[in-house]
């Protein structure tokens, strides 16, 4: 799941300072679950800003609140198209993908991020998320016992532990388990330690912004301009 | 191309001695040159650290060039922390062109342990991949599979941690490094003889030379600090206790005593093919250690 944290109120105030009518827009999927930008957080944030408005001299005059099912899908943004004609900016508490989908969908509307999109995480305990995936596009979890070396090793080492781990903990943070010790233990438990002996070659970092689709793109090669 | 002097010694039965110097933070290289002068005729090769502890320093390659200029035999320490595969290859080509062919491939400490904690960690390649990249260069191609104009040849090595808490994964990686063509290993600092004995027996099945890492402690405080903060260092309590027994201002003497004792034991029991002395800023004491241990010297 995508996990985010709300930006400090001072930064949000700075971001919206040039605008008068503001739509605080939540997202009903990941941001709702991680508690950074669902309906509840939209309400809290809106109230906090209105409180600020009542106490200090600020430019903004009105807030509207809305939470769409999913900010990163165009189809779920149609419902706000009427609201958008009545505002000066969108303060999105969706993830970075949500903010950018809004910016593309509403080209004349400033869209501001109300959260810092932090990681792709798994729940360690309620409210605490561990980063576990960097969406690298080259998944090797089948070789590493379901524990991502690239994400969870502080150095992203693919061929085994560095010398820095101590008592099974990472040299970067002694509270975090060394990814490679975890991988080793679990491969051992699964009877698959031979996988650790494989050489994992240099990664393909695919620097170009990536695009994937379930629908086959049309082959444009043979099409004429006319 | 002829092998490096160090590589030729790797193929001999000589008990090898290497040491290392840390370049300065800045452009005043006088102390580094002083250390080179002290060490060059007493050790078989001198490593130059690559931004040791992730702290920005004069480059390893620059230090190696100075060693060559002063008639010594350098080992280029190269980590993947700060350079991607293009930069690493380019540095290797420059190194080779200047006669620097001994390379120690390391993954590198984390950025967090250094003095530029906000920097982007590169880690494009890990140490095993770096060894494979060197093999590719030696085959006449770069890591992208493109033809090189002029083919280099290196004597490559790597590190291993015989005293790691979880040893088996370290050994698996060690074997990957051997398979990737590492010819020599310089170990992390060793203090636990039992563990070194076990590692020595295990490593004897491979056709590589292992140089046991000897860290020269300078005080009990430093020992405790290193134990808690320096990745890859596990000091037994009895070593720290022994350092505590040193009189005030005599910590380094005690550290030298421990280092000499370790070297003698390693030689007597043939626990390694040589030693790699890390004096951590006290490089001036290395000749004294070698004298006391009855060891080392290029011609000994």
């Amino acid at each position: 799941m995508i996990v985010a944290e709300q930006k400090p109120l001072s930064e949000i105030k700075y971001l919206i300072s040039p605008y008068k009518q503001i739509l605080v827009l939540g997202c009903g999927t990941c941001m709702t679950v991680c508690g950074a930008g669902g309906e509840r957080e939209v309400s809290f944030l809106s109230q906090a800003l209105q409180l600020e408005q009542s106490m200090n001299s600020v430019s903004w005059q009105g807030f509207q609140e809305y939470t769409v099912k999913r900010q990163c899908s165009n189809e779920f943004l149609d419902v706000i198209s009427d609201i958008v004609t009545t505002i000066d900016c969108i303060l999105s508490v969706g993830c970075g993908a949500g903010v950018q989908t809004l910016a593309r969908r509403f080209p004349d509307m400033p869209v501001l991020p109300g959260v810092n999109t932090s990681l792709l995480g798994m729940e360690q305990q309620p409210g605490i998320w561990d980063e576990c995936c960097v969406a690298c596009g080259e998944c090797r979890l089948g070789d590493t016992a379901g524990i991502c070396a690239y994400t969870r090793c502080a150095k992203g080492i693919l061929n085994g532990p560095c010398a820095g781990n101590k008592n099974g903990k990472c040299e970067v943070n002694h509270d975090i388990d060394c990814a490679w010790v975890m991988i080793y233990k679990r491969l051992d438990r699964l009877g698959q330690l031979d996988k650790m002996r494989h050489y994992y070659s240099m990664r393909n970092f695919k620097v170009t912004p990536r695009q994937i689709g379930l629908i086959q793109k049309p082959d444009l090669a043979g099409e004429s301009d006319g | 191309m002829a092998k490096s002097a160090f590589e030729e010694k790797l193929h001999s039965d000589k008990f090898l001695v290497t040491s290392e110097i840390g370049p300065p933070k800045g452009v005043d290289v006088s102390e580094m040159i002083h250390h080179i002068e002290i060490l060059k005729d007493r050790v078989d090769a001198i490593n130059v650290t690559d931004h040791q502890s992730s702290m920005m320093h004069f480059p390893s390659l620059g230090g190696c060039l100075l060693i060559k200029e002063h008639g010594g035999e350098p080992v280029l320490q190269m980590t993947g922390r700060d350079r991607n595969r293009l930069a690493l290859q380019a540095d290797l080509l420059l190194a080779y062109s200047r006669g620097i062919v001994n390379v120690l491939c390391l993954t590198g400490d984390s950025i967090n342990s250094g003095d530029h904690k906000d920097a982007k960690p590169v880690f494009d390649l890990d140490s095993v991949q770096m060894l494979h990249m060197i093999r590719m260069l030696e085959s006449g191609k770069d890591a992208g599979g493109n033809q090189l104009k002029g083919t280099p040849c290196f004597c490559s090595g790597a590190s291993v941690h015989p005293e790691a808490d979880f040893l088996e994964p370290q050994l698996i990686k060690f074997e990957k490094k051997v398979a990737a063509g590492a010819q020599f290993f310089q170990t992390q600092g060793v203090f636990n003889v039992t563990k070194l004995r076990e590692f020595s027996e295990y490593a004897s099945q491979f056709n590589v030379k292992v140089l046991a890492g000897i860290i020269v402690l300078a005080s009990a405080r430093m020992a405790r600090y290193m134990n808690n903060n320096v990745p890859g260092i596990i000091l037994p309590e009895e070593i720290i206790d022994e350092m505590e027994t040193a009189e005030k201002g005599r910590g380094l003497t005690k550290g030298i005593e421990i280092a000499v004792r370790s070297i003698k034991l390693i030689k007597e029991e043939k626990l390694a093919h040589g030693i790699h002395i890390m004096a951590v800023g006290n490089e001036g004491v290395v000749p004294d250690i070698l004298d006391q241990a009855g060891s080392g010297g290029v011609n000994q």
Side-chain angles (χ1 to χ4, degrees):
Chain A
M1 188 182 78
I2 298 170
V3 182
E5 294 177 301
Q6 190 183 300
K7 282 181 176 288
L9 203 59
S10 55
E11 187 180 345
I12 293 175
K13 280 158 45 186
Y14 170 75
L15 285 169
I16 63 170
S17 59
Y19 307 105
K20 289 179 180 159
Q21 298 296 333
I22 294 149
L23 169 63
V24 184
L25 187 66
C27 181
T29 46
C30 305
M31 294 302 100
T32 297
V33 179
C34 76
E39 202 170 339
R40 193 179 59 146
E41 291 73 33
V42 165
S43 173
F44 288 167
L45 179 56
S46 186
Q47 285 172 36
L49 292 169
Q50 283 172 53
L51 183 65
E52 189 72 24
Q53 182 183 357
S54 67
M55 292 166 60
N56 297 304
S57 168
V58 292
S59 65
W60 59 76
Q61 294 168 356
F63 290 93
Q64 296 185 60
E65 299 171 20
Y66 203 92
T67 297
V68 295
K69 278 189 180 169
R70 202 160 64 225
Q71 282 192 17
C72 59
S73 293
N74 286 323
E75 60 181 300
F76 294 110
L77 301 183
D78 290 341
V79 292
I80 61 164
S81 50
D82 286 342
I83 303 175
V84 168
T85 61
T86 66
I87 54 167
D88 299 322
C89 83
I90 300 173
L91 174 61
S92 162
V93 284
C95 70
V99 172
Q100 293 180 71
T101 309
L102 288 164
R104 190 159 58 185
R105 174 71 176 74
F106 302 108
D108 299 320
M109 180 59 50
V111 184
L112 307 165
V115 301
N116 289 319
T117 307
S118 308
L119 48 90
L120 293 186
M122 58 181 176
E123 193 171 38
Q124 186 208 68
Q125 51 180 282
I128 297 182
W129 311 86
D130 285 336
E131 183 169 28
C132 59
C133 178
V134 288
C136 71
E138 199 175 84
C139 192
R140 298 181 183 184
L141 284 169
D143 295 324
T144 54
I147 297 163
C148 180
Y150 184 50
T151 308
R152 298 177 71 184
C153 166
K155 303 172 186 175
I157 305 175
L158 296 182
N159 280 294
C162 73
N165 75 80
K166 202 179 271 188
N167 301 319
K169 300 296 181 184
C170 175
E171 75 174 44
V172 171
N173 182 338
H174 296 173
D175 294 326
I176 293 175
D177 292 323
C178 165
W180 272 105
V181 170
M182 285 195 291
I183 291 168
Y184 162 73
K185 285 180 177 173
R186 192 161 145 76
L187 283 174
D188 192 24
R189 187 173 179 165
L190 297 173
Q192 298 178 354
L193 262 185
D194 56 312
K195 288 186 172 178
M196 207 164 155
R197 298 184 180 278
H198 293 172
Y199 166 61
Y200 294 100
S201 56
M202 301 174 196
R203 290 187 54 84
N204 175 353
F205 281 89
K206 305 180 185 76
V207 212
T208 310
R210 294 167 285 166
Q211 188 178 59
I212 60 164
L214 296 176
I215 303 165
Q216 191 72 37
K217 283 190 185 173
D219 181 8
L220 302 175
E223 292 181 7
S224 69
D225 290 338
Chain B
M1 170 165 171
K3 291 184 172 81
S4 73
F6 180 61
E7 188 175 3
E8 281 186 8
K9 286 174 185 168
L10 285 179
H11 293 294
S12 73
D13 291 329
K14 184 183 184 304
F15 186 79
L16 296 162
V17 178
T18 58
S19 189
E20 70 181 33
I21 55 172
K25 192 183 217 16
V27 292
D28 180 358
V29 294
S30 54
E31 189 181 10
M32 180 164 59
I33 290 172
H34 175 62
H35 289 153
I36 292 168
E37 290 291 348
I38 288 172
L39 293 173
K40 69 178 173 114
D41 296 324
R42 296 302 311 267
V43 299
D44 298 303
I46 305 169
N47 287 41
V48 187
T49 51
D50 181 8
H51 303 302
Q52 57 270 32
S53 300
S54 302
M55 296 189 189
M56 194 287 296
H57 288 90
F58 188 88
S60 170
L61 188 49
C64 289
L65 288 169
L66 282 171
I67 292 172
K68 288 296 282 187
E69 283 172 22
H70 288 79
E73 176 77 0
V75 177
L76 176 68
Q77 290 197 186
M78 191 168 246
T79 76
R81 178 192 53 230
D82 312 309
R83 283 162 292 176
N84 69 6
R85 62 194 81 169
L86 278 81
L88 289 168
Q89 290 175 102
D91 281 359
L92 282 166
L93 296 183
L94 171 57
Y96 177 81
S97 74
R98 299 304 176 96
I100 298 160
V101 295
N102 310 310
V103 184
L104 186 75
C105 296
L106 304 163
T107 295
D109 290 336
S110 73
I111 287 280
N112 305 48
S113 59
D115 60 358
H116 286 63
K117 295 183 197 300
D118 295 337
K120 181 178 185 180
V122 178
F123 296 115
D124 183 13
L125 304 186
D126 63 34
S127 49
V128 182
Q129 292 165 334
M130 213 185 295
L131 286 161
H132 276 275
M133 182 184 75
I134 288 176
R135 297 289 87 78
M136 279 200 76
L137 291 174
E138 289 174 336
S139 76
K141 290 188 172 171
D142 70 11
N146 309 296
Q147 199 68 39
L148 295 176
K149 187 175 179 181
T151 302
C153 180
F154 297 98
C155 170
S156 51
S159 71
V160 63
H161 192 4
E163 299 184 357
D165 300 321
F166 290 90
L167 189 59
E168 192 178 4
Q170 295 286 340
L171 300 185
I172 292 172
K173 194 171 180 189
F174 170 80
E175 290 179 31
K176 285 188 184 185
K177 291 174 179 177
V178 173
Q183 294 164 266
F184 67 95
F185 283 83
Q186 290 169 320
T187 79
Q188 301 284 333
V190 291
F191 290 95
N192 185 321
V193 179
T194 309
K195 288 193 172 181
L196 183 59
R197 282 193 190 106
E198 288 168 7
F199 176 76
S200 173
E201 196 180 331
Y202 155 82
S204 64
Q205 64 185 300
F206 302 100
N207 185 27
V208 292
K209 291 293 170 80
V210 175
L211 281 65
I214 304 292
I215 294 174
V216 186
L217 298 169
S219 67
R221 193 172 156 211
M222 169 200 181
R224 231 177 278 110
Y225 176 84
M226 290 183 86
N227 204 27
N228 294 331
N229 298 291
V230 179
I233 292 185
I234 301 175
L235 288 167
E237 272 306 313
E238 53 265 32
I239 292 288
I240 298 176
D241 291 345
E242 190 176 349
M243 288 302 294
E244 296 276 13
T245 66
E247 289 171 30
K248 193 169 166 50
R250 304 277 294 169
L252 184 57
T253 308
K254 180 58 74 179
I256 292 170
E257 188 184 317
I258 294 170
V260 168
R261 191 175 68 212
S262 299
I263 295 168
K264 283 182 172 171
L265 188 79
I266 288 164
K267 282 185 81 172
E268 275 167 26
E269 293 196 27
K270 294 188 167 52
L271 297 180
H273 303 102
I275 48 165
H276 174 63
I277 303 177
M278 294 167 272
V280 204
N282 292 306
E283 284 73 13
V285 307
V286 173
D288 189 26
I289 290 171
L290 293 174
D291 287 341
Q292 289 190 45
S295 180
V298 173
N299 300 314
Q300 289 180 44

